[in-house]
């Protein structure tokens, strides 16, 4: 819906039904995972310098308990929101602040698989299709995760014709578990603690020609 000036509101529904067959057949465990998603989002501009976007998703469905083959419901949530300040001044600075969240399950070790997955009760782990940028180094999935991110990008030589499209940036991340006893996509994060850690990313991108871009990226977790 684009009836509000400089704003857009959208929604979506996605249903995923698992018709895959096991090969080889496992008589002790069913791996069927069905999921449905309902989402709503908004994006737009506020004034001349501010822009934003936000999206919220509810996931339902059914999964199997690992080790017992019992069928359980999926109840999971996620959201992502970002605000960007980009004043119209020399070097085109772009300051951003983002918060992202994907719910987790306290008894899951593996956030993507049935094996070492949900072992009791309903499954609160957010399992999704698509991609969410969460840094270069740890790069966790948005499952059992809170992420805070701040970033700054500038084009320091934009007045020079050759380097007009050269941009350098820095981003800082703070990661937390939603359920401290549950796992995240990095299986080495085994401590029973909400705090996962911090990351700093550096990047340089230079669009040399309309069809040629060079980039250098570094991440330290």
């Amino acid at each position: 819906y684009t009836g509000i000036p400089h704003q857009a509101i959208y929604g979506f529904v996605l249903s995923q039904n698992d018709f895959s067959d096991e090969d080889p057949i496992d008589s002790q465990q069913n791996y069927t995972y069905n999921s449905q998603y309902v989402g709503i989002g908004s994006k737009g501009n506020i004034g001349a310098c501010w822009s934003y976007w936000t999206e919220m998703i509810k996931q339902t469905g059914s999964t199997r308990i690992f080790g017992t083959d019992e069928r359980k419901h999926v109840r999971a949530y996620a959201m992502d929101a970002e605000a960007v300040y980009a004043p119209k001044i020399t070097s085109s600075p772009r300051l951003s602040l983002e918060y992202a969240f994907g719910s987790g399950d306290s008894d899951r070790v593996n956030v993507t698989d049935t094996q070492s997955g949900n072992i009791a009760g309903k499954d609160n782990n957010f399992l999704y299709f698509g991609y969410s940028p969460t840094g270069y180094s740890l790069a966790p999935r948005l499952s059992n995760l809170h992420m805070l991110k701040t970033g700054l990008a500038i084009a320091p030589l934009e007045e020079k014709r050759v380097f007009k499209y050269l941009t350098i940036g820095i981003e800082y991340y703070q990661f937390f578990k939603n359920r401290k006893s549950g796992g995240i996509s990095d299986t080495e994060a085994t401590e029973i603690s909400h705090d996962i850690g911090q990351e700093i990313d550096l990047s340089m991108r230079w669009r040399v020609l309309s069809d040629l871009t060079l980039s250098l990226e570094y991440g330290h977790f």
Side-chain angles (χ1 to χ4, degrees), residues 86-194:
K88 311 297 184 182
I89 59 176
T90 303
S91 296
S92 301
R94 185 180 185 273
L95 179 65
S96 62
L97 177 64
E98 181 180 0
Y99 167 72
F101 162 74
S103 62
D105 195 278
S106 58
D107 53 52
R108 260 187 179 269
V109 175
N110 192 308
V111 300
T112 58
D113 297 356
T114 299
Q115 187 170 2
S116 299
N118 188 35
I119 60 174
K122 64 184 178 182
D123 191 351
N124 301 119
N125 177 71
F126 182 62
L127 181 59
Y128 58 100
F129 301 89
Y131 171 72
S132 181
T134 56
Y136 303 141
S137 184
L138 182 66
R141 289 182 59 90
L142 201 60
S143 302
N144 195 30
L145 192 79
H146 294 275
M147 182 191 79
L148 292 172
K149 169 186 170 185
T150 59
L152 174 64
I154 60 172
L157 302 174
E158 66 177 3
E159 295 183 353
K160 306 293 185 180
R161 187 175 65 85
V162 175
F163 299 107
K164 182 177 181 180
Y165 299 109
L166 172 68
T167 303
I168 59 175
I170 182 171
E171 294 175 332
Y172 170 77
Y173 296 81
Q174 185 87 45
F175 300 107
F176 302 92
K177 287 184 181 180
N178 173 230
R179 302 292 184 184
K180 66 180 181 180
S181 60
I184 63 170
S185 55
D186 188 322
T187 55
E188 294 185 6
T190 57
E191 291 189 13
I192 301 178
S193 171
H194 286 293

Side-chain angles (χ1 to χ4, degrees), residues 1-37:
Y1 175 74
T2 56
I4 304 173
H6 309 294
Q7 313 294 318
I9 300 172
Y10 63 91
F12 60 87
V13 175
L14 171 67
S15 180
Q16 178 274 136
N17 297 301
D18 186 357
F19 296 119
S20 60
D21 295 323
E22 297 170 24
D23 186 14
I25 297 296
D26 185 346
S27 59
Q28 305 299 317
Q29 180 73 55
N30 191 308
Y31 297 89
T32 303
Y33 187 92
N34 297 313
S35 54
Q36 295 81 46
Y37 307 83

